[in-house]
Amino acid sequence: MAQPRILILGAPGAGKGTQSAKITEEFDVDHITTGDALRANKDMDISDMDTEYDTPREYMDQGELVPDEVVNAIVDEALSQADGFVLDGYPRNLEQAEELKGMTDLDVVLYLDVDEEELVHRLTGRRLDPETGDIYHVEYNPPEDPEVEERLEQRDDDTEETVRERLRVFRENTEPVIEYYDDQGDLERIDGEQAPDEVWEDVKATIEDAA
């Protein structure tokens, strides 16, 4: 079987990272995220584009959002270097979905479908151990050591107010992308509310059927 070209979509907390890690191991493909692609190509020469800076690094150093056209070029570069991949975190909007169509032919588009209240429950329950950097969950993955439990903190990103805003932004920007692939008949919906191992069985079977 040729190495598949996979797009994985889902809201924050849907489990894209967990499933992407399993996909890369099982199917021997690259896990391409926008963040990793940006970091890997931060010194790419973009001086031929009509942009404020000549490299992505300068945007990142200034704490500014990297423009879509630069992100598109970086993702294109990352995809061109991969035999097979699972693309995670791109496209974030309809314009990027149109761009992606010109970059590669996808074998499968996965959407991890999780109810919003379940996403809020998952994300607001996350806790950080400030000493080790390990992430726990108050319900699904509590630490066994009472001392660790004592020092756990909730990150600012994981407060309910922030989580609901992140989900609102996701809905606003990325739901049209989900509809775009659904309308084309390419979207494979996976029930993301199952246990992670059950989600994986569905993901694996869907990729094997498509590739």
Side-chain angles (χ1 to χ4, degrees):
M1 182 172 90
Q3 288 168 304
R5 290 161 300 192
I6 303 151
L7 171 61
I8 190 164
L9 299 167
K16 295 193 304 297
T18 301
Q19 298 302 326
S20 293
K22 289 176 179 289
I23 291 169
T24 54
E25 196 174 317
E26 176 75 21
F27 294 99
D28 190 26
V29 294
D30 293 342
H31 182 198
I32 297 175
T33 70
T34 322
D36 288 347
L38 272 170
R39 284 186 285 276
N41 293 282
K42 57 181 178 275
D43 293 314
M44 181 174 164
D45 182 4
I46 54 170
S47 56
D48 59 327
M49 296 185 194
D50 187 19
T51 51
E52 189 177 350
Y53 302 117
D54 292 337
T55 63
R57 180 194 290 273
E58 290 166 272
Y59 284 97
M60 293 156 87
D61 288 349
Q62 295 294 329
E64 294 182 25
L65 276 178
V66 181
D68 262 12
E69 62 183 305
V70 178
V71 174
N72 295 342
I74 283 172
V75 170
D76 195 8
E77 178 70 18
L79 295 180
S80 71
Q81 293 169 5
D83 291 329
F85 57 80
V86 53
L87 179 58
D88 168 9
Y90 180 100
R92 288 183 187 271
N93 56 48
L94 214 44
E95 291 75 19
Q96 290 181 344
E98 295 280 5
E99 284 288 330
L100 182 59
K101 196 173 180 181
M103 294 179 201
T104 188
D105 293 322
L106 295 167
D107 292 312
V108 63
V109 180
L110 302 171
Y111 172 49
L112 301 182
D113 199 356
V114 181
D115 178 74
E116 178 151 338
E117 291 311 309
E118 172 62 18
L119 293 169
V120 170
H121 180 65
R122 288 182 185 182
L123 292 167
T124 55
R126 291 202 299 201
R127 296 293 183 270
L128 170 72
D129 180 347
E131 289 189 19
T132 63
D134 292 337
I135 299 284
Y136 295 93
H137 193 282
V138 291
E139 184 178 334
Y140 303 131
N141 180 31
E144 291 174 12
D145 185 341
E147 278 187 32
V148 174
E149 194 163 3
E150 288 276 311
R151 65 176 185 247
L152 293 184
E153 297 175 352
Q154 186 179 45
R155 300 182 305 181
D156 290 346
D157 268 6
D158 297 333
T159 62
E160 182 167 348
E161 186 182 356
T162 308
V163 163
R164 289 197 184 275
E165 174 60 16
R166 285 168 66 200
L167 293 174
R168 185 195 66 75
V169 169
F170 172 82
R171 276 199 315 275
E172 190 176 295
N173 294 326
T174 312
E175 281 202 344
V177 174
I178 293 160
E179 286 171 19
Y180 170 83
Y181 288 113
D182 207 8
D183 289 347
Q184 293 185 348
D186 294 332
L187 194 75
E188 298 286 352
R189 289 178 184 270
I190 305 286
D191 178 0
E193 295 190 29
Q194 307 174 92
D197 287 349
E198 293 170 352
V199 175
W200 168 238
E201 287 306 316
D202 285 357
V203 164
K204 183 167 174 266
T206 303
I207 295 169
E208 286 171 346
D209 287 348

